[in-house]
Amino acid sequence: MDTDVVELILADHRRFEDLFRELRSSEGDRRTALAELAGLLVAHAEAEETQVYPALRRLGAADGEEVEHGSEEHDEGHRALLALLEVGEPGGSGWDEALEELSGAITHHLDEEERTLLNDARERLTRDRRGALGAEFARMRARLLDSGCGGVEQVRELVRRAGS
């Protein structure tokens, strides 16, 4: 398995896009897709903020402003995720609006992160360094996913901690 941190993050980004398509479809299992999306969004963001962002900054592959902006966008995504989780029944009243709010926030973040932080990481970090960082990211992400990090109470706590 490739542990290049850039490739691992990009794979998660593509999975987010797939899950948003599933959540928009009335034919799929939206509850399962939402549970997967919630867990993956939280685990991905937390692993980036604790493992990837600090290392990119320390290694000179990102500046403080880029890192802070990425963290702020994670907070925005958590708020939008919480709003969707609190709608209740997939397809119910407020579902489409909350889903599009979340999708818009996440899509914006993915686009910016791919054009800035990830391109900078490709250019400024060796393949070995990206591999080591990817292994740390993957371990943290897996631990968080195993802990059920995408539950509504866990997301509420993230939003509360962010001061929202």
Side-chain angles (χ1 to χ4, degrees), residues 68-142:
E68 180 65 27
H69 184 69
S71 295
E72 289 169 0
E73 289 185 342
H74 287 163
D75 292 342
E76 180 183 343
H78 291 145
R79 286 189 301 274
L81 175 60
L82 181 58
L84 182 61
L85 290 170
E86 289 178 338
V87 164
E89 188 63 31
S93 177
W95 171 266
D96 289 337
E97 295 81 10
L99 177 58
E100 290 314 307
E101 182 71 26
L102 176 59
S103 175
I106 299 303
T107 300
H108 170 82
H109 174 68
L110 302 184
D111 177 61
E112 280 191 351
E113 188 172 76
E114 289 176 15
R115 286 185 293 110
T116 59
L117 289 171
L118 297 184
N119 277 335
D120 289 348
R122 278 188 190 106
E123 292 173 6
R124 296 181 184 162
L125 300 180
T126 66
R127 184 148 182 77
D128 286 345
R129 179 69 77 178
R130 291 192 317 266
L133 189 53
E136 293 172 22
F137 170 82
R139 272 192 299 276
M140 175 87 172
R141 182 181 160 279

Side-chain angles (χ1 to χ4, degrees), residues 12-30 32-38 40-42 76-78 80-82 84-85 95-111:
D12 279 357
H13 288 184
R14 301 300 72 86
R15 185 62 187 149
F16 295 146
E17 292 165 351
D18 291 343
L19 288 165
F20 281 123
R21 278 190 289 282
E22 288 181 42
L23 289 167
R24 287 183 182 104
S25 172
S26 61
E27 295 178 358
D29 182 353
R30 289 177 174 179
T32 300
L34 180 56
E36 182 181 344
L37 178 69
L40 188 56
L41 278 173
V42 170
E76 180 183 343
H78 291 145
L81 175 60
L82 181 58
L84 182 61
L85 290 170
W95 171 266
D96 289 337
E97 295 81 10
L99 177 58
E100 290 314 307
E101 182 71 26
L102 176 59
S103 175
I106 299 303
T107 300
H108 170 82
H109 174 68
L110 302 184
D111 177 61

